[in-house]
Amino acid sequence: MNELNPAMQLAVDYLESTNTVIFLTGKAGTGKTTFLQNLKHTSKKKLAVAAPTGVAAINAGGMTIHSLFQLPFGPLLPGGNDRPDTHYSQEKKELLNNLELLIIDEISMVRPDVLDQIDLILRNIKESPHPFGGVQLLLIGDLSQLSPIIRDEEWTLLSRYYATPYFFSALAMQKASYVRIELNHIYRQKEQSFVDILNEVRNQQISKESLTLLNARYVPDFRPAANDPYITLTTHNSIAQQVNTEFLEALQGQEFEFAATIRGDFPKDAYPTETRLKLKIGAQVMFVKNDGSAEKLYYNGKIGTVSRIEGNTVFVQCGLENKELLVETTEWTNVKYQLDGEAINESNAGSFAQIPLKLAWAITIHKSQGLTFDKAIIDVSEAFASGQAYVALSRCRTLSGMVLRNPISAHNIIGDPAVIRFNEQAALVTPDAHTLQRDQLLYETYLLGELFNFGVLQTRLKGFEMVLPDLEKDIISVAAKFTKQLKVERSIQAAVYFLDKLTAATESLHQQLPGLIGLSKELAKKADQLIVWLMNRIRLMEYFAQVPFTTASYLEKTKDKAKTHDRSYLKALNAPPNEKLYEQILEWREKAAVKENVMPNMVLSEKAAAAIAEKLPDTLKALSTIKGIGVQKATQYGPDLISLIRAYQNELQSPGTEQVSLF
């Protein structure tokens, strides 16, 4: 998939040059997951990836939706909370405020109330009336696969507001401009007859001929040979566990147990395999991670047999391949997003380290989503949810690689008429070059409005109204009138006007603030935020007072933002004692964490680092008395920390060292 097919290229063009909401769909095996992974590395937008479940989030390399937005798990009724973001930390608010692209994988499993809550949160954080606060959403998934899990009592509440339990019934989706792009080129299956059957199952209209062809794969009492790597896909977890346990116990020989190492924050529902993995030689296993090495010897979903075990190393033989695969402990990370200046970076909130295998005589259909198998035994005779049969059948590469444990009848192919109706309606407005050009112009208008949007200034001015009494009249009111009749050709004239007013306001602010703030850290913090915002907006106005507005130039200029102003009020009031030493200790902490392969706060908390910098302990005993250190850490890290302290003290005592004041 080196070259993008036309549908993928259209999706890329929409992502690069619009903020239109995109529903990227397609049959199983059409490259949706690969597209997501490529986009994470190529997108110029500040993005975050989220998914409805822990397993899906880990597979997508993102966070769960509930973790990213700190949502409760029950029904989220529209209008129930006007400001659900009020309990967010300042860091979380800043992160979401800088977000430009939100990718949600496995969107078929997301309830409409969750999407509406995301819309409400982003509009509040961004202080914008636009759907999702102007953030572009890329919704990836196949509505013919697994649907949202909603209990009857939950749907009793939600059905008052939503026509269906699917994301497209969200109130925000009725207001947002969105396009549906379908990927049609199938990379997983190559047999046309099998592709045709899958299409019929997906559309819930399977013919008698296709059903007959499918049921020809029914083999009563089928038992694969010991060296034949079949995996059973079943509807219930209890059945999968029972099958795996029975097969493992039936094997002769010693049982080996491998314990997982879990550090930091890693949710249990996202564990990729067992915390205590039991294996025997001869056990059928499935890899649960792609090989990160250059050789790419295995992939998530590959089946093999344990051939030998030596210490902490497992050797796996896959099919007729000549060589054994050496498998050692590997690590999964639980991603969290952090703001680094104005960039959104991924950080490791926790990790799960284990042999990347799990017993694979059986697996649930739910956990198989996203995987591909060469040989599978499928049982959907007890299917209870829409999409289960399609997910199970589409995991297989070929029809010949599939065996049915029980015959499939038409009633096992459970679908939802609401999905059919939505797909039919959405197909009527498939985007093309013309709609792309239209949406590019809409995006330009949106960005022009953002340039002259002073709603954030009005919010940040609270507490400082007396300092700038004319701001409402000269800037905010004028901007409100201008944005009602936005025109690119008037952008230079508008920028010149606002540049003059903003410059005068900032100069007045600098002159009056020091006396007003006093020692209030809260006011100092607000003053910093206000002045940084003004400086960034002045920088934009200076540029667009000279050149006409374009989407490309705006996006380029907004990347170059001031982080703090030269005379930071907050920094002057809030600087920790011996700040330089404090920064040195944090730098040492990062290196120690990398060396020990742990989270930095497991080496030393920031609070403990600040206390060390303040008290300057010069012995291990003195260091051990600091809260958060203790005897063990003092013994382990003391020599390094005391060396840093002594070097810092020597530097202070050196001739020519002087303290620099911010004011």
Side-chain angles (χ1 to χ4, degrees):
M1 206 187 307
N2 293 328
E3 290 187 13
L4 295 178
N5 60 49
M8 285 185 176
Q9 187 59 57
L10 181 61
V12 168
D13 292 340
Y14 257 95
L15 288 163
E16 287 182 350
S17 59
T18 80
N19 69 338
T20 304
V21 174
I22 301 168
F23 172 37
L24 184 71
T25 189
K27 307 174 185 71
T30 50
K32 297 185 293 295
T33 300
T34 304
F35 182 87
L36 165 59
Q37 297 304 332
N38 290 339
L39 180 66
K40 287 174 64 179
H41 295 107
T42 59
S43 177
K44 296 176 182 177
K45 292 184 177 179
K46 298 166 191 167
L47 63 83
V49 180
T53 67
V55 172
I58 296 298
N59 287 341
M63 297 176 67
T64 63
I65 295 170
H66 286 78
S67 177
L68 180 59
F69 291 97
Q70 296 173 214
L71 302 180
F73 284 96
L76 302 162
L77 304 183
N81 187 348
D82 290 338
R83 294 301 305 246
D85 55 296
T86 50
H87 64 289
Y88 286 179
S89 67
Q90 189 59 38
E91 183 183 22
K92 173 75 77 174
K93 289 179 181 177
E94 288 295 325
L95 185 150
L96 294 176
N97 193 39
N98 280 271
L99 191 63
E100 295 171 332
L101 172 62
L102 173 64
I103 303 170
I104 301 180
D105 197 20
E106 303 292 5
I107 190 65
S108 69
M109 300 168 69
V110 177
R111 302 191 320 248
D113 58 314
V114 170
L115 209 56
D116 276 338
Q117 195 75 353
I118 292 172
D119 166 60
L120 177 62
I121 289 167
L122 290 175
R123 281 189 288 110
N124 284 337
I125 292 284
K126 295 270 190 178
E127 300 182 75
S128 167
H130 296 275
F132 304 103
V135 174
Q136 184 173 35
L137 264 62
L138 172 61
L139 310 173
I140 302 177
D142 182 0
L143 285 165
S144 299
Q145 297 192 32
L146 299 178
S147 55
I149 298 173
I150 303 181
R151 294 194 295 269
D152 289 342
E153 61 269 25
E154 292 176 333
W155 184 238
T156 299
L157 294 171
L158 292 173
S159 61
R160 302 174 189 174
Y161 304 93
Y162 301 109
T164 80
Y166 297 97
F167 80 93
F168 56 77
S169 289
L171 304 180
M173 292 296 290
Q174 317 307 314
K175 300 173 186 174
S177 169
Y178 74 91
V179 294
R180 175 183 176 274
I181 298 176
E182 181 165 3
L183 304 182
N184 291 308
H185 184 83
I186 296 176
Y187 295 92
R188 183 179 294 154
Q189 289 90 14
K190 301 299 181 185
E191 297 177 356
Q192 189 57 48
S193 59
F194 187 30
V195 169
D196 292 341
I197 290 172
L198 289 178
N199 284 340
E200 291 182 20
V201 174
R202 184 173 187 258
N203 295 328
Q204 304 150 36
Q205 295 175 337
I206 191 163
S207 65
K208 288 183 179 179
E209 294 77 16
S210 293
L211 200 57
T212 300
L213 190 59
L214 191 58
N215 279 323
R217 302 306 306 158
Y218 168 54
V219 181
D221 302 317
F222 177 75
R223 297 280 297 187
N227 62 348
D228 215 355
Y230 276 87
I231 184 169
T232 296
L233 303 186
T234 184
T235 50
H236 292 75
N237 191 51
S238 58
I239 299 174
Q241 287 180 335
Q242 181 182 348
V243 171
N244 285 326
T245 301
E246 287 176 357
F247 271 93
L248 185 67
E249 290 176 349
L251 283 178
Q252 301 298 312
Q254 181 184 353
E255 183 176 276
F256 297 82
E257 185 173 290
F258 299 87
T261 301
I262 303 159
R263 294 191 176 98
D265 177 18
F266 202 102
K268 288 186 177 181
D269 69 347
Y271 289 174
T273 186
E274 286 74 23
T275 55
R276 308 195 77 81
L277 177 64
K278 296 177 181 179
L279 298 175
K280 288 182 181 179
I281 294 172
Q284 180 164 295
V285 291
M286 179 178 74
F287 286 89
V288 289
K289 192 174 178 66
N290 294 330
D291 180 9
S293 71
E295 290 85 1
K296 307 295 182 191
L297 297 174
Y298 55 84
Y299 55 85
N300 189 9
K302 185 169 187 173
I303 304 293
T305 303
V306 175
S307 53
R308 56 193 170 104
I309 298 173
E310 295 179 1
N312 292 322
T313 303
V314 179
F315 293 85
V316 177
Q317 185 78 43
C318 296
L320 300 176
E321 295 176 9
N322 292 326
K323 64 177 182 178
E324 295 174 313
L325 299 182
L326 182 152
V327 189
E328 295 180 311
T329 297
T330 189
E331 188 175 75
W332 291 260
T333 56
N334 180 25
V335 169
K336 287 203 174 177
Y337 293 100
Q338 290 181 323
L339 207 60
D340 181 10
E342 296 295 333
I344 294 177
N345 290 336
E346 293 181 0
S347 69
N348 180 359
S351 63
F352 180 99
Q354 177 61 292
I355 301 290
L357 299 170
K358 69 189 309 177
L359 294 177
W361 287 286
I363 190 175
T364 62
I365 294 168
H366 191 275
K367 289 183 179 177
S368 75
Q369 188 154 327
L371 302 179
T372 304
F373 305 115
D374 293 314
K375 295 187 174 184
I377 301 168
I378 292 174
D379 184 3
V380 292
S381 59
E382 295 185 39
F384 58 88
S386 64
Q388 276 188 323
Y390 176 66
V391 170
L393 296 173
S394 61
R395 298 309 93 199
C396 301
R397 291 187 192 276
T398 64
L399 188 60
S400 58
M402 177 197 307
V403 172
L404 299 181
R405 176 152 284 170
N406 290 293
I408 294 178
S409 60
H411 75 266
N412 295 137
I413 301 169
I414 303 171
D416 193 327
V419 170
I420 294 286
R421 285 196 301 272
F422 170 77
N423 284 332
E424 288 174 348
Q425 292 166 2
L428 297 175
V429 286
T430 300
D432 53 21
H434 175 73
T435 54
L436 173 63
Q437 186 177 28
R438 177 203 66 193
D439 289 338
Q440 286 170 332
L441 289 173
L442 288 172
Y443 187 42
E444 182 179 67
T445 302
Y446 165 77
L447 293 177
L448 182 62
E450 287 299 288
L451 176 62
F452 299 108
N453 176 9
F454 292 94
V456 175
L457 176 60
Q458 192 166 25
T459 301
R460 295 195 172 174
L461 197 62
K462 290 176 181 176
F464 302 108
E465 293 91 343
M466 298 301 293
V467 180
L468 298 168
D470 296 328
L471 211 59
E472 173 69 39
K473 173 173 62 74
D474 292 343
I475 295 181
I476 296 169
S477 295
V478 174
K481 293 176 184 176
F482 176 71
T483 51
K484 289 178 181 177
Q485 42 187 339
L486 285 174
K487 290 184 180 178
V488 171
E489 51 268 30
R490 295 184 60 202
S491 63
I492 291 180
Q493 178 188 355
V496 169
Y497 172 83
F498 288 114
L499 174 61
D500 178 58
K501 299 298 182 185
L502 289 169
T503 303
T506 305
E507 289 173 355
S508 175
L509 210 54
H510 268 300
Q511 292 170 5
Q512 298 180 65
L513 275 181
L516 292 174
I517 289 174
L519 296 176
S520 167
K521 288 185 179 179
E522 188 59 34
L523 274 177
K525 186 176 182 179
K526 289 182 177 180
D528 269 0
Q529 293 171 347
L530 175 58
I531 292 180
V532 169
W533 190 92
L534 287 167
M535 287 175 62
N536 283 322
R537 198 49 57 107
I538 286 171
R539 187 176 298 178
L540 286 173
M541 295 301 169
E542 285 175 339
Y543 181 81
F544 288 110
Q546 303 174 55
V547 298
F549 181 91
T550 65
T551 296
S553 60
Y554 178 83
L555 293 175
E556 184 60 35
K557 295 306 293 182
T558 50
K559 289 178 184 175
D560 180 26
K561 290 184 178 180
K563 294 178 178 63
T564 58
H565 64 287
D566 295 335
R567 297 166 54 205
S568 173
Y569 300 103
L570 185 61
K571 187 175 180 182
L573 291 173
N574 222 19
N578 302 310
E579 184 178 10
K580 185 176 180 181
L581 174 60
Y582 172 70
E583 296 293 341
Q584 290 173 346
I585 293 172
L586 292 185
E587 188 177 337
W588 165 86
R589 180 183 76 151
E590 293 292 328
K591 292 177 181 176
V594 170
K595 187 176 179 182
E596 296 179 25
N597 196 27
V598 298
M599 303 295 292
N601 60 5
M602 294 176 73
V603 175
L604 203 69
S605 70
E606 291 183 11
K607 198 170 181 180
I612 293 170
E614 179 181 2
K615 296 179 181 178
L616 301 174
D618 56 359
T619 65
L620 294 181
K621 186 176 181 181
L623 180 63
S624 68
T625 62
I626 290 177
K627 189 174 181 181
I629 302 296
V631 175
Q632 185 177 343
K633 285 192 175 183
T635 303
Q636 185 177 1
Y637 303 127
D640 287 349
L641 291 169
I642 290 173
S643 293
L644 283 174
I645 292 166
R646 287 175 181 167
Y648 174 73
Q649 289 173 321
N650 290 336
E651 186 180 337
L652 286 181
Q653 293 166 6
S654 301
T657 302
E658 59 183 74
Q659 302 295 317
V660 180
S661 172
L662 284 167
F663 299 104

